[in-house]
Amino acid sequence: MAPNSLFAILLRSPWWVSWSVAGLIALACGALLPSHIAPYAAVGAMPIFGVGCLAAWRQWRAPSSARVQAVLAQAADMPWRTFADALERAWQAEGYAVRRLTGLQADLCLEKAGQVTLVSARRWKAATHGVEPLRDLHTAAQAQDAHGSAYIALQGTVSDNARSYAREHGIALIEADALAALLLKAPPPGA
């Protein structure tokens, strides 16, 4: 789906927006069309109503902002090994085979359906995230013929140059909100 299509915009909006649009379409059909045609034309609003139902379901299942902040605070307090374990459990819950790497350029290797992704996560608490770790990650991904790469930045700021480099080289930047969504999928230790 195109990111700026009507349905994509409505999916990102609160559920009641879709239902309001569907209601307005139905009212307009009733007011502007002959009474024997209006109900049939108003059925055209059903897809928008359905998008509202899907948006409501997604929003109902989404974690609260307090829960997200708690998970981010917990991740910020973790030592490296605990954080790496949490990432490993989260990606395994999504069906990835996860392997720890010992090099400085990448920390985890994810594999799913023959697709390999390298992840650099060790600098998750850095105050600033520059281009150098992204270059190292990209070099490692090329050396291992990885299909993708991801860089995790929980705290601090990602420089504009680093963002540009990531965009140009297809490196996914996993920042606070996306990281929280990932960590919320992780089963508790020992589960």
Side-chain angles (χ1 to χ4, degrees):
M1 174 180 328
N4 291 325
S5 70
L6 175 64
F7 290 124
I9 292 169
L10 289 174
L11 274 174
R12 291 190 304 265
S13 302
W15 59 270
W16 55 266
V17 172
S18 297
W19 288 6
S20 299
V21 169
L24 288 173
I25 290 171
L27 285 174
C29 288
L32 299 174
L33 297 174
S35 61
H36 65 285
I37 297 175
Y40 299 109
V43 170
M46 291 303 290
I48 295 174
F49 180 78
V51 167
C53 291
L54 180 59
W57 180 74
R58 284 183 177 178
Q59 291 163 20
W60 179 65
R61 294 188 66 223
S64 68
S65 61
R67 176 74 178 123
V68 168
Q69 291 305 315
V71 166
L72 292 175
Q74 185 180 20
D77 291 339
M78 290 179 183
W80 165 246
R81 290 191 192 281
T82 307
F83 182 67
D85 290 342
L87 289 174
E88 191 172 339
R89 287 191 312 273
W91 272 310
Q92 285 172 343
E94 289 191 356
Y96 287 92
V98 182
R99 182 172 41 97
R100 299 261 179 112
L101 302 174
T102 56
L104 296 174
Q105 296 94 354
D107 303 304
L108 300 170
C109 178
L110 311 177
E111 187 172 350
K112 184 176 184 181
Q115 301 286 322
V116 175
T117 302
L118 294 185
V119 179
S120 177
R122 195 173 299 265
R123 291 179 40 89
W124 88 103
K125 291 185 191 183
T128 58
H129 301 273
V131 175
E132 282 307 311
L134 294 173
R135 279 192 187 124
D136 293 343
L137 176 62
H138 182 64
T139 301
Q142 285 180 322
Q144 294 192 23
D145 279 338
H147 295 90
S149 54
Y151 181 83
I152 294 180
L154 170 63
Q155 296 176 333
T157 57
V158 178
S159 72
D160 291 337
N161 289 341
R163 285 187 190 282
S164 295
Y165 186 86
R167 199 172 21 258
E168 289 170 14
H169 294 88
I171 300 171
L173 291 176
I174 301 175
E175 296 183 78
D177 290 337
L179 181 60
L182 176 66
L183 292 174
L184 283 166
K185 296 175 185 174

